[in-house]
Amino acid sequence: MDLRELYQDVILDHGRHPRNHHALAAPSHMARGHNPLCGDRVTIFLRLDGARIAEASFEGRGCAISTASASLMTELVIGKMVAEANALFRIFRAQATEVDAPSVPVHLIEDAERLAPLTGVKAYPARQMRDARLARLGNGGEGRRRRCRRQDGVRR
Amino acid sequence: MISALEHHSNIVPWQMLRERGVRLVVAPVDTAGGFDLPGLERCLGPRTRLVALTHVANVTGEMLPVEAIVRLAHACGAKVLLDGCQAAPRLPVDVAALDCDFYAFSGHKCYGPTGIGALYGKRALLEAMPPWQGGGDMIITVTFDETLYQAPPHRFEAGTPDISGAVGPAAALDFMTQLDRDAIAAHERSLTGYARARLAGVAGVRLVGPEATAIGVVSFTVESVHPHDLATVLDQHALAIRAGHHCAQLLMDRLGLAATARVSFGVYNDEADVDALIAAVEAAQRIFGG
C-alpha cells in the first residue's frame, strides 16, 4: 500500500492542525483513553443538550492518524443526536476494521465518506486499536466513560 | 533498588514482592536520561538488600558503570543483579570480573529464540537459595516424609526442561563467540557513534540519552513527526525500528516523552543502513513537516 493512501491530505491537515483541540469548560461527559502500546493519551469532552451533542472536543496528542481521527470525530458529531453519532461510530468501526463494506443509511453517507481516509489503517494492523484491548484497560478510570458533575454538583 | 532506566521486566517482578514487605527504591536519572551514580550512592543504605540494574539501558543504549555500582553496593552489604538483555549481545561479559551476584539475559536478543534466557548466580548464593518450583529432576531422593534437593543449578530446573528451546540459544552463543565478542562490541560502538552523529546533523532530530558510553541502540524524536508515524514511513523504506515507550515507562515519564523512535543494531548492520535511515527520516519530515 502506498504511504499516501495512509497519509492522505485530510489526515496530514487534521494531524497538524487538529480541530476542537481543547478542553470544554463545562462538559456533561468525558472519557479518557490510553493506548499502552504506543503511549497515546486522549481525553474526549462532550456537552449534551438533551439528546443532541452541543459541543465536542479533545485534548492530548498521538500520532497523525490518532490526532486526525479525534479531530474529524469531533467535527462530525457536533450537532448530531446521540443515536446518530452512535450509528456513525458503528459504521466507521466496520469501515476501518472489517473486510465487507457496511451498509450506510442515506443521511450518514456524506459523513462516512469524510471518514473514509482513516480507513487506510485497515492495511496496518499494528496501527489499529481494537475495542477488546481498550475494554481490558478498565481500571483506574482509564478507557472508561464517565459522567461529569457541574461545579455546583448537579448531575447532568 | 532499581533505577529509572529499567525495562518493565526489571520493575514489575520487584513490585510484586512489595506484598511481602519489600520496599522498592528507584535510583534517579539525570535530566538527560543518563544514569546518576551519585544519585544511586545516596539511595544506598544498610537496609539495601539487592540492587537490580540494567547493564546497558534498553532505551538509550547507555552502558552503566557496573564495576563501580557493584563495589558501592557490596560495601553496603547489598547483592547486585544485572539485567544483561541489551549487554550480552553486544559486549564481552565476564561475570567473575564484574563480581556481580546475578546476571540475566534473554535468548532472543542474542540472535536466539524467544521465551528462553539464562540466569547466572554465584554458586554460594545459589546453594543458599531454596527451589522456587518443585517437580521431577530437581531432587536427589523423595520419600513421603522429605525430599532432598539437587545441588544448583539442577534444583532450579524442575520438570523436563525445554531442551529444544535451549539448543537454539546455545547455537546462537556459539555463533557470537565465533564472530569474536570484542569485534562485535567494536562494530556496535562504531555504528552507534556514526548513527548519533548523522542523526544529530538532521534539523529537528533530538537524541535521547547521553552519548559517552552508548552502544547498540539510539533513541530519538523528530519534531512534527510522531514516532509511530515515523516507524510506518521507515517500514516503507524497508527499515524496521521500534516506536513507543520500549517497556520503560519510568524513564519516559522522567523525560516527559510519550514515545521515541529507536534503532537497534545487530552484527548484520553497516553504515549504509544508517545512511538509508537518514534518507528515510528526511522523507518522513517532507511528509509531515510544515
Side-chain angles (χ1 to χ4, degrees):
Chain A
M1 183 178 177
D2 187 70
L3 266 185
R4 291 294 294 170
E5 279 177 57
L6 181 63
Y7 293 115
Q8 298 185 27
D9 287 340
V10 63
I11 290 181
L12 293 176
D13 175 36
H14 279 258
R16 280 180 206 133
H17 311 292
R19 323 296 200 263
N20 304 306
H21 190 230
H22 52 80
L24 287 188
S28 57
H29 295 72
M30 64 179 280
R32 289 201 180 89
H34 175 213
N35 182 340
L37 295 180
C38 63
D40 285 1
R41 284 175 194 273
V42 175
T43 306
I44 306 281
F45 302 89
L46 284 184
R47 186 172 66 76
L48 295 191
D49 179 6
R52 199 179 63 86
I53 298 170
E55 285 182 280
S57 70
F58 77 105
E59 271 193 327
R61 283 198 97 139
C63 65
I65 297 164
S66 140
T67 303
S69 150
S71 173
L72 279 163
M73 178 186 71
T74 57
E75 279 201 333
L76 287 183
V77 301
I78 292 171
K80 279 201 170 46
M81 304 302 282
V82 171
E84 268 182 323
N86 278 330
L88 184 59
F89 165 75
R90 281 190 294 274
I91 289 163
F92 173 68
R93 172 67 59 178
Q95 278 180 319
T97 61
E98 285 169 19
V99 178
D100 299 324
S103 63
V104 183
V106 176
H107 71 286
L108 290 175
I109 284 176
E110 201 178 312
D111 291 336
E113 279 172 1
R114 280 208 66 202
L115 292 171
L118 287 164
T119 61
V121 294
K122 213 190 292 194
Y124 297 83
R127 303 298 303 271
Q128 301 170 24
M129 185 173 178
R130 306 292 182 136
D131 259 348
R133 185 174 289 281
L134 191 64
R136 281 202 295 274
L137 292 175
N139 54 2
E142 300 278 20
R144 226 186 299 166
R145 231 179 323 173
R146 75 165 200 251
R147 271 181 175 276
C148 296
R149 282 168 191 278
R150 279 201 322 205
Q151 285 188 334
D152 57 8
V154 177
R155 264 187 178 276
R156 293 173 58 116
Chain B
M1 182 185 306
I2 58 172
S3 83
L5 288 172
E6 304 310 317
H7 187 283
H8 294 164
S9 61
N10 194 27
I11 300 171
V12 179
W14 309 120
Q15 285 179 329
M16 292 164 85
L17 283 181
R18 288 192 299 201
E19 288 163 21
R20 298 197 218 165
V22 168
R23 187 168 156 241
L24 185 60
V25 176
V26 183
V29 293
D30 63 28
T31 50
F35 180 71
D36 177 3
L37 188 63
L40 176 101
E41 206 171 350
R42 282 195 297 278
C43 292
L44 281 169
R47 293 179 61 80
T48 310
R49 299 298 164 85
L50 180 70
V51 176
L53 293 177
T54 189
H55 188 174
V56 169
N58 80 307
V59 174
T60 61
E62 180 185 12
M63 185 179 72
L64 270 56
V66 286
E67 290 88 349
I69 291 165
V70 168
R71 275 197 305 275
L72 287 169
H74 283 174
C76 290
K79 305 290 184 240
V80 177
L81 180 150
L82 295 178
D83 165 8
C85 287
Q86 296 291 332
R90 304 197 153 96
L91 301 167
V93 177
D94 182 341
V95 288
L98 290 174
D99 196 28
C100 60
D101 301 287
F102 300 95
Y103 196 97
F105 66 92
S106 58
H108 69 279
K109 295 281 183 186
C110 294
Y111 309 97
T114 53
I116 191 159
L119 173 67
Y120 156 86
K122 283 182 177 168
R123 182 169 293 278
L125 290 170
L126 293 178
E127 280 169 351
M129 287 163 62
W132 67 282
Q133 190 177 38
D137 278 0
M138 47 80 77
I139 50 87
I140 297 171
T141 57
V142 178
T143 68
F144 282 116
D145 291 331
E146 66 169 356
T147 293
L148 286 178
Y149 302 132
Q150 290 260 33
H154 307 289
R155 80 163 59 150
F156 302 109
E157 305 266 2
T160 303
D162 179 10
I163 298 165
S164 55
V167 170
L173 293 175
D174 284 344
F175 162 75
M176 287 182 61
T177 305
Q178 280 159 20
L179 284 176
D180 179 348
R181 306 292 292 262
D182 289 312
I184 293 174
H187 170 80
E188 299 257 351
R189 275 204 186 88
S190 148
L191 266 188
T192 305
Y194 181 68
R196 289 186 72 103
R198 289 294 317 269
L199 283 165
V202 180
V205 168
R206 186 185 146 205
L207 292 162
V208 177
E211 165 107 41
T213 62
I215 183 165
V217 297
V218 180
S219 267
F220 60 100
T221 57
V222 182
E223 200 183 326
S224 75
V225 188
H226 190 281
H228 279 281
D229 294 319
L230 182 69
T232 295
V233 174
L234 264 49
D235 180 44
Q236 295 288 312
H237 286 75
L239 294 161
I241 68 156
R242 168 104 188 250
H245 54 57
H246 315 293
C247 301
Q249 287 183 353
L250 277 182
L251 179 63
M252 305 305 271
D253 289 348
R254 292 282 165 97
L255 295 175
L257 295 168
T260 72
R262 183 190 70 178
V263 296
S264 55
F265 299 114
V267 294
Y268 38 74
N269 290 116
D270 57 23
E271 292 191 353
D273 294 324
V274 176
D275 296 339
L277 168 74
I278 301 300
V281 167
E282 288 169 346
Q285 285 180 315
R286 282 193 294 277
I287 295 174
F288 294 98

